Amino acid sequence: MSGGGRREEVAAGLAAVQQRIDAACRAAGRTADEVTLVVVTKFFPASDVRILADLQVAAVGENRHQEAQAKAAECGDLGIRWHYVGGLQSNKAAAVASYADVVESVDRPKLVRGLARGAAERGAGPLRCLVQVSLDPPEAQGRAGVAPGELPALADLVASTPELELGGLMAVAPLGEDPDEAFSRLAGLREQFLVDHPEARVLSAGMSGDLEEAVRHGATHVRVGRAVLGERPSVQ
Ligand SMILES: *Cc1c(COP(=O)(O)O)cnc(C)c1O
């Protein structure tokens, strides 16, 4: 496929998603500028990131350290912001902090030291972090995201770490649950969270299949892959 063809495809996907965001904002009595689109580029090549930057996309998301690191290096000239949204091993945390502009998936205290060290080595100021909270039923918790009961302590730890900046919360709706109900619970958790951390207003929630429900419940960032870029190439 020619580069021109791909650009048109991505531009069309982007326009369709932006329309969905606009409509969801209108329906929720919010303005479209309250919601930032993070295009999740995992499995897609650096050339797609280049196209997205050319189409004025400000932020991309990645969920695997090696792939993210390589792409960020290849796209260092673009000025696009890199959001790390994937599961994080504590021995990779410092490395992720060397290129990520936002780490959305902070879900346990063990990650904080490595992220802080990486941010200090990079020397670009405090690293913006979101705490990923689990919306799974209690018996399924522990996979990704801190359990709601442990959220306050983790948020306090991030907020009190000078190399890090607590930006807000991130969550993924559980498979098989109505996303409207899941994000409604998330909105309740966030209300409580904002009492302690009024500045940490980012709420990253909503993907290709449930961005409308997320916007209805206050998302400030939606993370969308397939609806912009098409079906992902099969798992590597
Ligand atoms: C892959 C991924 C997304 C994007 O999912 P789509 O269904 O492609 O929109 C969002 N958030 C996280 C954490 C992801 O891993």
Side-chain angles (χ1 to χ4, degrees):
M1 188 194 301
S2 77
R6 181 58 176 156
R7 190 182 194 282
E8 278 161 30
E9 209 169 73
V10 173
L14 203 53
V17 167
Q18 200 56 60
Q19 275 180 14
R20 283 176 61 189
I21 294 172
D22 291 355
C25 285
R26 263 197 313 279
R30 305 178 63 196
T31 56
D33 62 4
E34 292 176 49
V35 178
T36 300
L37 171 62
V38 178
V39 178
V40 179
T41 48
K42 65 190 185 199
F43 295 111
F44 288 99
S47 54
D48 279 358
V49 178
R50 219 158 261 288
I51 290 172
L52 290 165
D54 195 45
L55 293 168
Q56 313 302 322
V57 167
V60 292
E62 288 285 336
N63 76 334
R64 292 152 176 254
H65 164 58
Q66 279 185 330
E67 182 186 346
Q69 185 176 46
K71 256 184 248 178
E74 215 175 319
C75 297
D77 58 314
L78 296 181
I80 206 161
R81 288 172 66 79
W82 295 84
H83 287 227
Y84 191 82
V85 304
L88 200 45
Q89 292 171 265
S90 47
N91 63 352
K92 298 281 163 58
V96 167
S98 73
Y99 58 83
D101 298 293
V102 183
V103 177
E104 297 202 7
S105 42
V106 178
D107 65 356
R108 55 196 194 283
K110 254 192 106 175
L111 298 173
V112 167
R113 195 207 300 232
L115 289 170
R117 181 163 56 80
E121 283 166 5
R122 183 175 176 178
L127 171 64
R128 172 164 277 224
C129 292
L130 308 184
V131 173
Q132 181 176 357
V133 59
S134 173
L135 301 177
D136 292 327
E139 63 276 13
Q141 265 162 19
R143 273 171 20 91
V146 67
E150 292 160 30
L151 169 60
L154 181 55
D156 288 347
L157 176 62
V158 173
S160 65
T161 302
E163 296 86 353
L164 307 181
E165 176 199 307
L166 179 64
L169 299 177
M170 184 271 248
V172 178
L175 280 175
E177 188 190 357
D178 178 354
D180 199 58
E181 283 169 23
F183 291 144
S184 157
R185 280 206 308 288
L186 177 61
L189 291 168
R190 183 192 188 213
E191 205 168 51
Q192 201 48 49
F193 167 83
L194 283 174
V195 172
D196 297 328
H197 302 284
E199 253 83 274
R201 300 203 59 84
V202 172
L203 182 63
S204 173
M207 323 199 300
S208 291
D210 56 17
L211 72 86
E212 284 82 3
E213 289 85 351
V215 167
R216 184 180 314 145
H217 290 290
T220 63
H221 289 65
V222 293
R223 309 175 308 271
V224 180
R226 292 169 300 136
V228 172
L229 295 171
E231 286 307 314
R232 279 183 280 281
S234 55
V235 176
Q236 287 163 345

